Amino acid sequence: MTPHLRTARGCSLGTAALTAGAVYLGTTMSPWAAVPGLYVAAFLGWCARRSYAAHRRTLVRHEQARLAALGEELLLGMPCCRLPEHSASRAHGTNCLRPPDFADELAAACCAEGFVSRGAHHESACRINSPRSSAA
């Protein structure tokens, strides 16, 4: 258990308690009495979510360090994550332990300019030649 997990659980407990208190105040008194409790509950929910994410990042870093200590020869036969099994090894999960292979990504890219600009610009001879939205 990391300190982030303890913080996340405490914030989650506070969120649940404040939400229950706000519902009680909203039904027995004025609905306006519930607003401060709901605001603080929303903030604690946000804090809990951030702490859970930090906990997961810490676990991934520890797993990466453990696998690096095992050596590269053990890692060759070990799958990095579950997503490559379903995507013909073209996609990897966000917590994938394998470092990205830029040579494979460049080979799969439509053109060199599209690879460098992450799809925003393409060469004139590119088969796609349509800029990708920055919102994607």
Side-chain angles (χ1 to χ4, degrees):
M1 178 185 281
T2 65
H4 299 294
L5 185 59
R6 281 191 294 271
T7 302
R9 287 180 177 171
C11 288
S12 296
L13 181 64
T15 300
L18 282 169
T19 302
V23 167
Y24 175 76
L25 285 176
T27 56
T28 59
M29 296 176 66
S30 168
W32 290 105
V35 171
L38 289 176
Y39 179 78
V40 175
F43 176 72
L44 285 179
W46 177 79
C47 290
R49 189 169 177 196
R50 298 284 297 169
S51 294
Y52 279 123
H55 170 71
R56 286 189 302 272
R57 281 193 304 271
T58 302
L59 291 181
V60 167
R61 274 191 241 115
H62 287 180
E63 184 68 14
Q64 287 173 340
R66 185 184 72 80
L67 290 175
L70 289 175
E72 297 245 350
E73 60 276 353
L74 290 176
L75 292 177
L76 292 177
M78 188 181 293
C80 54
C81 61
R82 303 282 298 179
L83 194 56
E85 296 174 6
H86 304 290
S87 66
S89 296
R90 292 189 180 157
H92 293 276
T94 55
N95 59 350
C96 183
L97 301 175
R98 192 184 100 187
D101 188 7
F102 294 111
D104 288 345
E105 190 176 344
L106 181 60
C110 55
C111 62
E113 184 66 28
F115 173 75
V116 172
S117 67
R118 293 294 211 190
H121 306 289
H122 295 278
E123 296 172 356
S124 59
C126 180
R127 55 184 156 78
I128 294 177
N129 204 9
S130 63
R132 185 175 68 178
S133 169
S134 62

